[in-house]
Amino acid sequence: MAELDVNLIDGLAALVLLTAFLIVATGRMRTLVRVFALQSLALGLLAAAVAYSTGYWHIYIVAALTILLKALVIPRIIDRVMDRIQVANDVEPSVRTPSSLLIAGGLAILAYYVAEPLIQSGETITAGALALSLAVVLIGLFVMISRKKAITQVIGLLVMENGLFMAALSLSYGMPLIVELGVFFDIMVAVLIMGVFVFRINRTFDTLDTSFLRRLRD
Amino acid sequence: MADLVLALIQTAALLALAPLLTGIIRKLKAWMQSRRGPPIYQPYLDLAKLMRKGSVVSEDSSWVTTITPYVCLISMVVAALLVPAFVTESLGFLGDLIVLVYLFAMTRFFTALAALDAGSTFGGMGSSREMLVSSLIEPAILLSFFTVALLTGTTSLVSVTSVIATSGASLIGPALLLAFAAFLIAVLAENARVPVDNPSTHLELTMIHEAMLLEYSGKDLALMEYSSMVKLTLFVTIAWSAFLPWGVATEITAPALALGVIVFLAKLLTLAVVIAVIESSMAKLRLFRLPNLLTGAFMLAFLAVMSYFVL
Protein backbone atom coordinates (compact mmCIF):
# COMPACT_ATOMS: atom_id res chain seq x y z
CA MET A 1 0.00 0.00 0.00
CA ALA A 2 2.69 2.48 1.03
CA GLU A 3 4.46 2.59 -2.34
CA LEU A 4 1.29 3.15 -4.34
CA ASP A 5 -0.04 5.73 -1.88
CA VAL A 6 3.18 7.70 -2.01
CA ASN A 7 3.11 7.59 -5.81
CA LEU A 8 -0.50 8.80 -5.87
CA ILE A 9 0.12 11.57 -3.35
CA ASP A 10 3.26 12.72 -5.16
CA GLY A 11 1.43 12.66 -8.49
CA LEU A 12 -1.45 14.78 -7.13
CA ALA A 13 0.98 17.21 -5.50
CA ALA A 14 2.79 17.57 -8.82
CA LEU A 15 -0.59 18.16 -10.50
CA VAL A 16 -1.34 20.99 -8.04
CA LEU A 17 1.97 22.66 -8.94
CA LEU A 18 1.39 22.03 -12.65
CA THR A 19 -2.00 23.76 -12.47
CA ALA A 20 -0.34 26.70 -10.70
CA PHE A 21 1.95 27.00 -13.74
CA LEU A 22 -1.09 26.72 -16.03
CA ILE A 23 -2.71 29.59 -14.14
CA VAL A 24 0.38 31.65 -14.91
CA ALA A 25 0.43 30.47 -18.54
CA THR A 26 -3.19 30.94 -19.56
CA GLY A 27 -4.35 34.11 -21.26
CA ARG A 28 -8.10 33.61 -20.86
CA MET A 29 -10.21 34.44 -17.83
CA ARG A 30 -12.60 31.50 -18.28
CA THR A 31 -9.72 29.03 -18.57
CA LEU A 32 -8.16 30.61 -15.49
CA VAL A 33 -11.24 29.85 -13.41
CA ARG A 34 -11.49 26.30 -14.82
CA VAL A 35 -7.82 25.62 -14.06
CA PHE A 36 -8.28 26.92 -10.54
CA ALA A 37 -11.23 24.54 -10.09
CA LEU A 38 -9.03 21.70 -11.38
CA GLN A 39 -6.30 22.64 -8.91
CA SER A 40 -8.76 22.59 -6.02
CA LEU A 41 -10.07 19.22 -7.19
CA ALA A 42 -6.53 17.79 -7.27
CA LEU A 43 -5.92 19.25 -3.82
CA GLY A 44 -9.14 17.70 -2.48
CA LEU A 45 -8.16 14.31 -3.90
CA LEU A 46 -4.69 14.73 -2.40
CA ALA A 47 -6.27 15.36 1.01
CA ALA A 48 -8.50 12.31 0.55
CA ALA A 49 -5.47 10.17 -0.34
CA VAL A 50 -3.63 11.43 2.74
CA ALA A 51 -6.71 10.67 4.85
CA TYR A 52 -6.93 7.18 3.39
CA SER A 53 -3.29 6.33 4.03
CA THR A 54 -3.16 7.82 7.54
CA GLY A 55 -6.67 6.96 8.71
CA TYR A 56 -7.40 10.39 10.20
CA TRP A 57 -11.12 10.87 9.58
CA HIS A 58 -11.15 14.65 9.95
CA ILE A 59 -9.02 14.98 6.81
CA TYR A 60 -11.89 13.37 4.86
CA ILE A 61 -14.19 16.20 5.96
CA VAL A 62 -11.63 18.78 4.93
CA ALA A 63 -11.15 17.02 1.57
CA ALA A 64 -14.89 17.01 0.91
CA LEU A 65 -15.19 20.68 1.89
CA THR A 66 -12.25 21.57 -0.37
CA ILE A 67 -13.83 19.90 -3.38
CA LEU A 68 -17.29 21.30 -2.62
CA LEU A 69 -16.29 24.89 -1.89
CA LYS A 70 -13.15 25.53 -3.88
CA ALA A 71 -13.74 23.30 -6.88
CA LEU A 72 -17.49 23.92 -7.29
CA VAL A 73 -18.96 26.87 -5.37
CA ILE A 74 -16.22 29.49 -5.61
CA PRO A 75 -15.58 29.02 -9.37
CA ARG A 76 -19.35 29.30 -9.84
CA ILE A 77 -19.46 32.56 -7.88
CA ILE A 78 -16.55 33.99 -9.89
CA ASP A 79 -18.25 32.92 -13.13
CA ARG A 80 -21.45 34.65 -12.02
CA VAL A 81 -19.57 37.86 -11.25
CA MET A 82 -17.88 37.72 -14.65
CA ASP A 83 -21.23 37.18 -16.38
CA ARG A 84 -22.85 40.05 -14.51
CA ILE A 85 -20.22 42.62 -15.38
CA GLN A 86 -19.27 41.21 -18.79
CA VAL A 87 -15.54 40.96 -18.25
CA ALA A 88 -13.42 40.77 -21.39
CA ASN A 89 -11.86 37.33 -21.68
CA ASP A 90 -8.22 38.50 -21.69
CA VAL A 91 -6.11 38.23 -18.56
CA GLU A 92 -4.03 41.41 -19.12
CA PRO A 93 -0.80 40.50 -17.34
CA SER A 94 1.60 43.31 -16.56
CA VAL A 95 4.50 40.86 -17.01
CA ARG A 96 4.38 39.01 -20.34
CA THR A 97 3.55 35.32 -20.33
CA PRO A 98 6.97 33.78 -21.19
CA SER A 99 8.73 35.94 -18.60
CA SER A 100 5.97 35.14 -16.09
CA LEU A 101 6.56 31.43 -16.65
CA LEU A 102 10.31 31.80 -16.19
CA ILE A 103 9.78 33.83 -12.99
CA ALA A 104 7.40 31.13 -11.74
CA GLY A 105 10.12 28.56 -12.46
CA GLY A 106 12.62 30.64 -10.49
CA LEU A 107 10.13 30.83 -7.59
CA ALA A 108 9.81 27.04 -7.68
CA ILE A 109 13.60 26.67 -7.37
CA LEU A 110 13.61 29.17 -4.51
CA ALA A 111 10.86 27.20 -2.75
CA TYR A 112 12.87 24.01 -3.18
CA TYR A 113 15.98 25.54 -1.61
CA VAL A 114 14.01 26.95 1.31
CA ALA A 115 12.11 23.73 1.95
CA GLU A 116 14.93 21.24 1.49
CA PRO A 117 16.23 21.22 5.11
CA LEU A 118 12.66 20.74 6.34
CA ILE A 119 12.11 17.85 3.93
CA GLN A 120 15.23 16.11 5.22
CA SER A 121 13.95 16.20 8.80
CA GLY A 122 10.28 15.61 7.94
CA GLU A 123 8.66 12.37 9.02
CA THR A 124 5.26 12.56 7.35
CA ILE A 125 4.73 10.56 4.16
CA THR A 126 3.95 13.78 2.33
CA ALA A 127 7.08 15.71 3.35
CA GLY A 128 8.20 15.90 -0.27
CA ALA A 129 5.13 17.94 -1.13
CA LEU A 130 6.29 20.81 1.11
CA ALA A 131 8.58 22.29 -1.55
CA LEU A 132 5.76 22.09 -4.08
CA SER A 133 3.28 23.79 -1.74
CA LEU A 134 5.71 26.62 -0.98
CA ALA A 135 6.15 27.03 -4.73
CA VAL A 136 2.36 27.22 -5.13
CA VAL A 137 2.15 29.91 -2.42
CA LEU A 138 4.87 31.99 -4.10
CA ILE A 139 3.30 31.57 -7.56
CA GLY A 140 -0.08 32.62 -6.15
CA LEU A 141 1.54 35.76 -4.73
CA PHE A 142 3.20 36.40 -8.09
CA VAL A 143 -0.17 36.06 -9.88
CA MET A 144 -1.63 38.62 -7.45
CA ILE A 145 1.04 41.22 -8.14
CA SER A 146 1.55 40.65 -11.86
CA ARG A 147 -2.04 40.59 -13.13
CA LYS A 148 -4.06 43.76 -13.48
CA LYS A 149 -7.67 42.64 -13.21
CA ALA A 150 -9.27 42.44 -9.81
CA ILE A 151 -10.64 38.95 -10.48
CA THR A 152 -7.19 37.55 -11.28
CA GLN A 153 -6.01 38.94 -7.96
CA VAL A 154 -8.79 37.08 -6.18
CA ILE A 155 -7.67 33.90 -7.94
CA GLY A 156 -4.06 34.57 -6.93
CA LEU A 157 -5.19 34.79 -3.31
CA LEU A 158 -7.10 31.52 -3.64
CA VAL A 159 -4.07 29.82 -5.20
CA MET A 160 -1.96 31.01 -2.26
CA GLU A 161 -4.53 29.57 0.11
CA ASN A 162 -4.42 26.25 -1.77
CA GLY A 163 -0.65 26.24 -1.36
CA LEU A 164 -0.91 26.94 2.37
CA PHE A 165 -3.44 24.14 2.75
CA MET A 166 -1.10 21.73 0.97
CA ALA A 167 1.81 22.88 3.14
CA ALA A 168 -0.24 22.19 6.28
CA LEU A 169 -1.18 18.77 4.91
CA SER A 170 2.38 17.88 4.07
CA LEU A 171 3.90 19.03 7.36
CA SER A 172 1.39 17.86 9.93
CA TYR A 173 -1.46 16.13 8.10
CA GLY A 174 -3.53 19.29 8.19
CA MET A 175 -4.55 21.72 10.89
CA PRO A 176 -7.14 20.95 13.58
CA LEU A 177 -10.64 20.71 12.13
CA ILE A 178 -11.91 23.87 13.80
CA VAL A 179 -9.07 25.90 12.28
CA GLU A 180 -9.74 24.42 8.83
CA LEU A 181 -13.43 25.29 9.11
CA GLY A 182 -12.50 28.83 10.10
CA VAL A 183 -10.21 29.13 7.08
CA PHE A 184 -12.95 27.89 4.74
CA PHE A 185 -15.41 30.38 6.18
CA ASP A 186 -12.81 33.11 5.77
CA ILE A 187 -12.21 32.21 2.14
CA MET A 188 -15.93 32.11 1.36
CA VAL A 189 -16.52 35.52 2.91
CA ALA A 190 -13.41 36.90 1.22
CA VAL A 191 -14.61 35.73 -2.19
CA LEU A 192 -18.10 37.17 -1.62
CA ILE A 193 -16.72 40.53 -0.50
CA MET A 194 -14.25 40.57 -3.37
CA GLY A 195 -17.16 39.86 -5.70
CA VAL A 196 -18.97 42.93 -4.42
CA PHE A 197 -15.75 44.97 -4.62
CA VAL A 198 -15.12 43.88 -8.19
CA PHE A 199 -18.68 44.91 -9.00
CA ARG A 200 -18.18 48.35 -7.46
CA ILE A 201 -14.79 48.87 -9.11
CA ASN A 202 -16.39 48.06 -12.43
CA ARG A 203 -19.31 50.43 -11.77
CA THR A 204 -17.03 53.29 -10.81
CA PHE A 205 -14.28 52.98 -13.39
CA ASP A 206 -15.85 50.90 -16.19
CA THR A 207 -12.86 48.58 -15.97
CA LEU A 208 -11.40 45.98 -13.65
CA ASP A 209 -7.86 47.24 -14.06
CA THR A 210 -6.75 47.86 -10.49
CA SER A 211 -4.10 50.33 -11.55
CA PHE A 212 -6.99 52.79 -11.97
CA LEU A 213 -7.52 52.67 -8.22
CA ARG A 214 -4.65 55.17 -7.92
CA ARG A 215 -7.11 57.83 -8.98
CA LEU A 216 -9.00 57.33 -5.73
CA ARG A 217 -7.86 60.52 -4.09
CA ASP A 218 -9.36 63.92 -3.40
CA MET B 1 26.07 -10.65 -34.39
CA ALA B 2 22.32 -11.19 -34.29
CA ASP B 3 21.86 -7.99 -32.32
CA LEU B 4 23.81 -5.99 -34.89
CA VAL B 5 21.69 -7.40 -37.74
CA LEU B 6 18.53 -6.61 -35.78
CA ALA B 7 19.73 -3.07 -35.15
CA LEU B 8 20.33 -2.58 -38.88
CA ILE B 9 16.93 -4.07 -39.77
CA GLN B 10 15.36 -1.69 -37.26
CA THR B 11 17.12 1.32 -38.82
CA ALA B 12 16.07 0.18 -42.30
CA ALA B 13 12.48 -0.17 -41.08
CA LEU B 14 12.50 3.35 -39.63
CA LEU B 15 13.87 4.77 -42.87
CA ALA B 16 11.40 2.83 -44.99
CA LEU B 17 8.35 3.66 -42.84
CA ALA B 18 8.99 7.40 -42.70
CA PRO B 19 7.02 8.42 -45.83
CA LEU B 20 4.24 6.02 -44.85
CA LEU B 21 3.80 7.80 -41.48
CA THR B 22 3.48 11.14 -43.27
CA GLY B 23 0.99 9.55 -45.69
CA ILE B 24 -1.07 8.15 -42.81
CA ILE B 25 -1.21 11.50 -41.04
CA ARG B 26 -2.34 13.20 -44.26
CA LYS B 27 -5.00 10.54 -44.84
CA LEU B 28 -6.30 10.84 -41.27
CA LYS B 29 -6.46 14.61 -41.58
CA ALA B 30 -8.35 14.23 -44.87
CA TRP B 31 -10.90 11.94 -43.22
CA MET B 32 -11.43 14.32 -40.33
CA GLN B 33 -12.07 17.13 -42.79
CA SER B 34 -14.52 14.95 -44.81
CA ARG B 35 -12.20 14.63 -47.78
CA ARG B 36 -11.12 11.40 -49.46
CA GLY B 37 -7.46 12.41 -49.48
CA PRO B 38 -4.58 10.86 -51.42
CA PRO B 39 -3.66 7.20 -50.76
CA ILE B 40 -1.32 6.62 -47.83
CA TYR B 41 1.55 5.62 -50.15
CA GLN B 42 1.36 8.95 -51.99
CA PRO B 43 4.53 10.37 -50.32
CA TYR B 44 6.55 7.49 -51.88
CA LEU B 45 5.23 8.42 -55.33
CA ASP B 46 5.95 12.10 -54.73
CA LEU B 47 9.51 11.36 -53.68
CA ALA B 48 10.04 9.03 -56.66
CA LYS B 49 8.72 11.68 -59.02
CA LEU B 50 10.98 14.35 -57.56
CA MET B 51 14.00 12.03 -57.66
CA ARG B 52 13.60 11.65 -61.44
CA LYS B 53 13.65 15.41 -62.02
CA GLY B 54 16.68 17.59 -62.35
CA SER B 55 17.19 20.41 -59.89
CA VAL B 56 17.62 24.09 -60.60
CA VAL B 57 20.13 25.89 -58.42
CA SER B 58 20.42 29.65 -58.17
CA GLU B 59 23.55 31.14 -59.75
CA ASP B 60 24.23 33.14 -56.62
CA SER B 61 24.19 30.22 -54.26
CA SER B 62 27.35 28.64 -52.87
CA TRP B 63 28.40 25.13 -51.90
CA VAL B 64 26.17 25.32 -48.82
CA THR B 65 23.09 24.92 -50.98
CA THR B 66 24.65 21.94 -52.74
CA ILE B 67 25.69 19.96 -49.69
CA THR B 68 22.76 20.73 -47.37
CA PRO B 69 20.42 18.00 -48.70
CA TYR B 70 23.14 15.42 -48.16
CA VAL B 71 24.05 16.74 -44.70
CA CYS B 72 20.39 16.52 -43.69
CA LEU B 73 19.94 13.05 -45.09
CA ILE B 74 23.15 11.70 -43.54
CA SER B 75 22.52 13.11 -40.09
CA MET B 76 18.99 11.67 -40.14
CA VAL B 77 20.34 8.25 -41.14
CA VAL B 78 22.95 8.39 -38.37
CA ALA B 79 20.23 9.43 -35.91
CA ALA B 80 18.10 6.50 -37.08
CA LEU B 81 20.97 4.17 -36.21
CA LEU B 82 20.83 5.37 -32.59
CA VAL B 83 17.11 5.07 -31.91
CA PRO B 84 15.60 1.85 -30.58
CA ALA B 85 12.14 1.27 -32.03
CA PHE B 86 10.88 -2.28 -31.48
CA VAL B 87 13.97 -3.91 -29.94
CA THR B 88 16.45 -2.47 -27.46
CA GLU B 89 19.38 -2.89 -29.79
CA SER B 90 20.93 -0.13 -31.83
CA LEU B 91 24.34 1.13 -32.77
CA GLY B 92 24.17 3.04 -29.49
CA PHE B 93 27.93 3.01 -29.07
CA LEU B 94 28.02 5.68 -31.76
CA GLY B 95 26.44 8.21 -29.47
CA ASP B 96 23.93 8.96 -26.75
CA LEU B 97 20.93 11.27 -26.26
CA ILE B 98 23.08 14.40 -26.40
CA VAL B 99 24.58 13.38 -29.76
CA LEU B 100 21.03 12.80 -30.99
CA VAL B 101 19.99 16.34 -30.01
CA TYR B 102 22.95 17.79 -31.87
CA LEU B 103 22.40 15.66 -34.96
CA PHE B 104 18.97 17.28 -35.18
CA ALA B 105 20.56 20.66 -34.46
CA MET B 106 23.03 20.13 -37.32
CA THR B 107 20.20 19.46 -39.75
CA ARG B 108 18.48 22.61 -38.62
CA PHE B 109 21.66 24.68 -38.79
CA PHE B 110 22.41 23.65 -42.37
CA THR B 111 18.80 24.06 -43.48
CA ALA B 112 18.77 27.59 -42.09
CA LEU B 113 22.12 28.39 -43.72
CA ALA B 114 20.93 27.05 -47.08
CA ALA B 115 17.78 29.17 -46.81
CA LEU B 116 19.93 32.27 -46.36
CA ASP B 117 22.39 31.20 -49.03
CA ALA B 118 20.40 32.03 -52.13
CA GLY B 119 19.45 35.41 -50.72
CA SER B 120 15.69 35.15 -51.20
CA THR B 121 13.48 37.10 -48.82
CA PHE B 122 11.33 34.13 -47.88
CA GLY B 123 14.39 32.04 -47.02
CA GLY B 124 15.67 34.70 -44.66
CA MET B 125 12.29 34.96 -42.93
CA GLY B 126 12.05 31.19 -42.67
CA SER B 127 15.46 30.71 -41.13
CA SER B 128 15.07 33.53 -38.62
CA ARG B 129 11.75 32.04 -37.47
CA GLU B 130 13.22 28.54 -37.37
CA MET B 131 16.01 29.80 -35.14
CA LEU B 132 13.48 31.51 -32.85
CA VAL B 133 11.51 28.27 -32.49
CA SER B 134 14.56 26.07 -32.05
CA SER B 135 16.25 28.30 -29.49
CA LEU B 136 13.12 28.02 -27.35
CA ILE B 137 12.39 24.32 -27.84
CA GLU B 138 15.92 22.91 -27.63
CA PRO B 139 16.27 23.54 -23.86
CA ALA B 140 12.94 21.77 -23.38
CA ILE B 141 14.17 18.72 -25.32
CA LEU B 142 17.47 18.64 -23.42
CA LEU B 143 15.74 18.97 -20.04
CA SER B 144 13.25 16.21 -20.81
CA PHE B 145 16.13 13.97 -21.92
CA PHE B 146 17.99 14.84 -18.70
CA THR B 147 14.92 13.77 -16.72
CA VAL B 148 14.98 10.24 -18.12
CA ALA B 149 18.78 10.20 -17.86
CA LEU B 150 18.49 11.05 -14.15
CA LEU B 151 15.75 8.46 -13.62
CA THR B 152 17.70 5.68 -15.27
CA GLY B 153 21.27 6.74 -14.53
CA THR B 154 22.49 6.67 -18.12
CA THR B 155 22.44 8.92 -21.18
CA SER B 156 22.49 6.13 -23.74
CA LEU B 157 19.07 5.92 -25.36
CA VAL B 158 19.17 2.11 -25.62
CA SER B 159 19.97 1.73 -21.93
CA VAL B 160 17.29 4.27 -21.02
CA THR B 161 14.75 2.28 -23.01
CA SER B 162 15.69 -1.07 -21.55
CA VAL B 163 15.91 0.21 -17.95
CA ILE B 164 12.45 1.79 -18.11
CA ALA B 165 10.96 -1.14 -20.01
CA THR B 166 12.23 -3.73 -17.54
CA SER B 167 11.66 -1.82 -14.30
CA GLY B 168 7.89 -2.12 -14.46
CA ALA B 169 5.65 0.52 -12.98
CA SER B 170 8.00 1.84 -10.30
CA LEU B 171 9.44 4.55 -12.55
CA ILE B 172 6.05 5.92 -13.61
CA GLY B 173 5.68 9.17 -11.80
CA PRO B 174 5.23 12.88 -12.28
CA ALA B 175 8.78 13.25 -13.61
CA LEU B 176 8.36 10.79 -16.48
CA LEU B 177 4.89 11.98 -17.49
CA LEU B 178 5.81 15.67 -17.41
CA ALA B 179 8.91 15.00 -19.49
CA PHE B 180 6.78 13.04 -21.98
CA ALA B 181 4.30 15.93 -22.22
CA ALA B 182 7.13 18.41 -22.80
CA PHE B 183 8.59 16.19 -25.50
CA LEU B 184 5.22 15.90 -27.27
CA ILE B 185 5.14 19.69 -27.66
CA ALA B 186 8.71 19.44 -28.93
CA VAL B 187 7.61 16.84 -31.51
CA LEU B 188 5.11 19.36 -32.89
CA ALA B 189 7.50 22.30 -32.76
CA GLU B 190 10.53 20.53 -34.22
CA ASN B 191 8.64 19.00 -37.11
CA ALA B 192 6.76 22.10 -38.20
CA ARG B 193 3.36 20.69 -37.19
CA VAL B 194 0.26 22.74 -36.56
CA PRO B 195 0.24 24.96 -33.55
CA VAL B 196 3.74 26.06 -34.56
CA ASP B 197 3.79 25.79 -38.34
CA ASN B 198 1.45 24.44 -40.98
CA PRO B 199 3.02 21.62 -43.01
CA SER B 200 0.53 21.93 -45.86
CA THR B 201 1.11 25.58 -46.77
CA HIS B 202 3.10 26.81 -49.70
CA LEU B 203 3.81 30.47 -50.33
CA GLU B 204 2.17 31.90 -47.27
CA LEU B 205 3.64 34.70 -45.25
CA THR B 206 3.40 32.66 -42.07
CA MET B 207 5.32 29.58 -43.17
CA ILE B 208 8.49 28.54 -41.36
CA HIS B 209 9.81 25.22 -42.62
CA GLU B 210 8.44 25.51 -46.17
CA ALA B 211 10.00 28.95 -46.52
CA MET B 212 13.42 27.43 -46.10
CA LEU B 213 12.85 24.83 -48.82
CA LEU B 214 11.58 27.24 -51.48
CA GLU B 215 14.91 27.36 -53.32
CA TYR B 216 15.11 23.60 -53.69
CA SER B 217 13.72 21.59 -56.58
CA GLY B 218 13.93 18.11 -58.06
CA LYS B 219 16.29 15.64 -56.44
CA ASP B 220 17.51 18.07 -53.77
CA LEU B 221 13.93 18.81 -52.75
CA ALA B 222 13.22 15.08 -52.56
CA LEU B 223 16.15 14.61 -50.19
CA MET B 224 15.06 17.54 -48.00
CA GLU B 225 11.44 16.33 -47.90
CA TYR B 226 12.58 12.80 -47.12
CA SER B 227 14.84 13.97 -44.30
CA SER B 228 12.00 15.86 -42.68
CA MET B 229 9.75 12.78 -42.94
CA VAL B 230 12.49 10.70 -41.28
CA LYS B 231 12.86 13.40 -38.65
CA LEU B 232 9.15 13.21 -37.80
CA THR B 233 9.31 9.40 -37.58
CA LEU B 234 12.39 9.59 -35.36
CA PHE B 235 10.81 12.12 -33.01
CA VAL B 236 7.67 10.01 -32.68
CA THR B 237 9.80 6.91 -32.04
CA ILE B 238 11.96 8.70 -29.47
CA ALA B 239 8.87 10.01 -27.70
CA TRP B 240 7.85 6.43 -27.03
CA SER B 241 11.27 4.79 -26.59
CA ALA B 242 12.72 7.34 -24.21
CA PHE B 243 9.67 7.97 -22.06
CA LEU B 244 7.08 5.16 -22.31
CA PRO B 245 8.89 2.21 -23.91
CA TRP B 246 6.72 -0.60 -22.52
CA GLY B 247 6.19 -3.37 -25.05
CA VAL B 248 9.59 -3.01 -26.68
CA ALA B 249 11.51 -6.31 -27.06
CA THR B 250 14.29 -6.38 -24.45
CA GLU B 251 15.49 -9.85 -25.38
CA ILE B 252 16.01 -11.46 -28.75
CA THR B 253 13.31 -14.13 -28.90
CA ALA B 254 10.65 -14.58 -31.57
CA PRO B 255 7.57 -13.81 -29.35
CA ALA B 256 9.23 -10.76 -27.78
CA LEU B 257 10.23 -9.44 -31.19
CA ALA B 258 6.77 -10.03 -32.66
CA LEU B 259 5.17 -8.21 -29.72
CA GLY B 260 7.73 -5.44 -30.05
CA VAL B 261 6.94 -4.88 -33.74
CA ILE B 262 3.17 -4.88 -33.17
CA VAL B 263 3.40 -2.53 -30.19
CA PHE B 264 5.75 -0.24 -32.13
CA LEU B 265 3.35 0.03 -35.07
CA ALA B 266 0.45 0.66 -32.69
CA LYS B 267 2.46 3.41 -30.98
CA LEU B 268 3.31 5.09 -34.28
CA LEU B 269 -0.36 4.97 -35.28
CA THR B 270 -1.46 6.40 -31.92
CA LEU B 271 0.73 9.46 -32.22
CA ALA B 272 -0.26 9.83 -35.90
CA VAL B 273 -3.90 10.03 -34.73
CA VAL B 274 -2.97 12.52 -31.99
CA ILE B 275 -1.12 14.73 -34.48
CA ALA B 276 -3.98 14.51 -36.99
CA VAL B 277 -6.55 15.45 -34.31
CA ILE B 278 -4.45 18.39 -33.14
CA GLU B 279 -3.97 19.59 -36.71
CA SER B 280 -7.66 19.33 -37.54
CA SER B 281 -8.94 20.95 -34.35
CA MET B 282 -6.46 23.75 -33.70
CA ALA B 283 -5.44 26.83 -35.60
CA LYS B 284 -1.82 27.76 -36.07
CA LEU B 285 -0.63 30.10 -33.35
CA ARG B 286 0.38 33.60 -34.27
CA LEU B 287 4.16 33.88 -34.47
CA PHE B 288 4.30 36.24 -31.51
CA ARG B 289 2.23 33.85 -29.41
CA LEU B 290 4.63 30.98 -30.07
CA PRO B 291 7.01 31.81 -27.18
CA ASN B 292 4.09 31.21 -24.77
CA LEU B 293 3.65 27.62 -25.95
CA LEU B 294 7.35 26.89 -26.22
CA THR B 295 8.20 28.39 -22.83
CA GLY B 296 5.33 26.26 -21.53
CA ALA B 297 7.08 23.17 -22.90
CA PHE B 298 10.30 24.30 -21.24
CA MET B 299 8.52 24.75 -17.91
CA LEU B 300 6.96 21.28 -18.18
CA ALA B 301 10.42 19.79 -18.69
CA PHE B 302 11.76 21.94 -15.88
CA LEU B 303 9.00 20.71 -13.54
CA ALA B 304 9.88 17.16 -14.57
CA VAL B 305 13.50 17.62 -13.47
CA MET B 306 12.33 19.37 -10.31
CA SER B 307 9.85 16.67 -9.34
CA TYR B 308 12.65 14.12 -9.81
CA PHE B 309 14.60 15.93 -7.09
CA VAL B 310 11.71 16.92 -4.82
CA LEU B 311 9.45 13.89 -4.75
Side-chain angles (χ1 to χ4, degrees), chain B:
Chain B
M1 197 57 210
D3 46 350
L4 201 64
V5 173
L6 266 178
L8 290 176
I9 292 176
Q10 178 169 257
T11 306
L14 279 176
L15 294 176
L17 281 178
L20 189 65
L21 182 69
T22 306
I24 291 175
I25 294 178
R26 282 186 196 156
K27 188 76 175 176
L28 287 169
K29 271 175 73 177
W31 278 347
M32 287 175 204
Q33 295 157 4
S34 315
R35 289 185 287 122
R36 281 236 315 277
I40 56 173
Y41 53 83
Q42 186 66 39
Y44 292 103
L45 303 181
D46 290 347
L47 288 177
K49 182 190 75 185
L50 285 173
M51 283 304 281
R52 283 199 303 274
K53 304 214 168 192
S55 45
V56 182
V57 180
S58 159
E59 280 176 10
D60 304 316
S61 64
S62 67
W63 54 273
V64 174
T65 305
T66 324
I67 66 161
T68 295
Y70 301 99
V71 172
C72 291
L73 183 70
I74 290 168
S75 44
M76 283 308 113
V77 172
V78 174
L81 285 170
L82 305 178
V83 176
F86 55 82
V87 61
T88 53
E89 300 288 346
S90 75
L91 301 187
F93 53 85
L94 287 174
D96 55 9
L97 284 167
I98 319 269
V99 172
L100 208 53
V101 171
Y102 284 100
L103 280 172
F104 291 127
M106 186 160 81
T107 315
R108 189 163 46 230
F109 176 69
F110 268 92
T111 316
L113 268 193
L116 290 170
D117 191 39
S120 88
T121 332
F122 269 125
M125 266 162 42
S127 51
S128 97
R129 288 170 184 172
E130 176 86 355
M131 285 299 126
L132 168 75
V133 170
S134 68
S135 66
L136 289 169
I137 202 65
E138 214 171 82
I141 296 180
L142 276 172
L143 272 184
S144 53
F145 278 168
F146 287 156
T147 311
V148 285
L150 284 168
L151 279 171
T152 56
T154 167
T155 56
S156 153
L157 184 53
V158 179
S159 320
V160 165
T161 308
S162 57
V163 169
I164 301 182
T166 50
S167 70
S170 63
L171 279 180
I172 303 182
L176 200 59
L177 297 177
L178 288 171
F180 181 62
F183 195 79
L184 282 187
I185 299 181
V187 170
L188 299 176
E190 281 278 322
N191 293 290
R193 309 307 299 193
V194 150
V196 178
D197 188 10
N198 191 344
S200 50
T201 51
H202 286 287
L203 285 176
E204 267 189 37
L205 280 173
T206 56
M207 60 191 175
I208 301 178
H209 184 72
E210 285 295 326
M212 297 195 295
L213 303 188
L214 278 182
E215 288 294 319
Y216 281 107
S217 54
K219 205 172 83 184
D220 291 342
L221 180 61
L223 291 183
M224 297 297 277
E225 294 272 2
Y226 180 64
S227 335
S228 46
M229 289 171 190
V230 176
K231 192 178 177 191
L232 174 64
T233 315
L234 287 179
F235 263 90
V236 169
T237 312
I238 295 170
W240 290 111
S241 308
F243 301 99
L244 306 171
W246 288 279
V248 74
T250 47
E251 56 205 45
I252 306 175
T253 58
L257 283 177
L259 181 70
V261 171
I262 294 170
V263 170
F264 171 62
L265 292 177
K267 283 171 170 176
L268 277 191
L269 202 58
T270 315
L271 266 193
V273 171
V274 170
I275 291 175
V277 168
I278 290 176
E279 300 210 332
S280 307
S281 58
M282 284 179 78
K284 190 177 116 44
L285 281 178
R286 265 190 305 143
L287 194 65
F288 297 110
R289 295 276 302 277
L290 269 186
N292 297 4
L293 176 75
L294 302 178
T295 324
F298 174 72
M299 289 323 299
L300 281 176
F302 168 78
L303 281 178
V305 175
M306 186 171 151
S307 59
Y308 168 78
F309 281 110
V310 172
L311 296 174

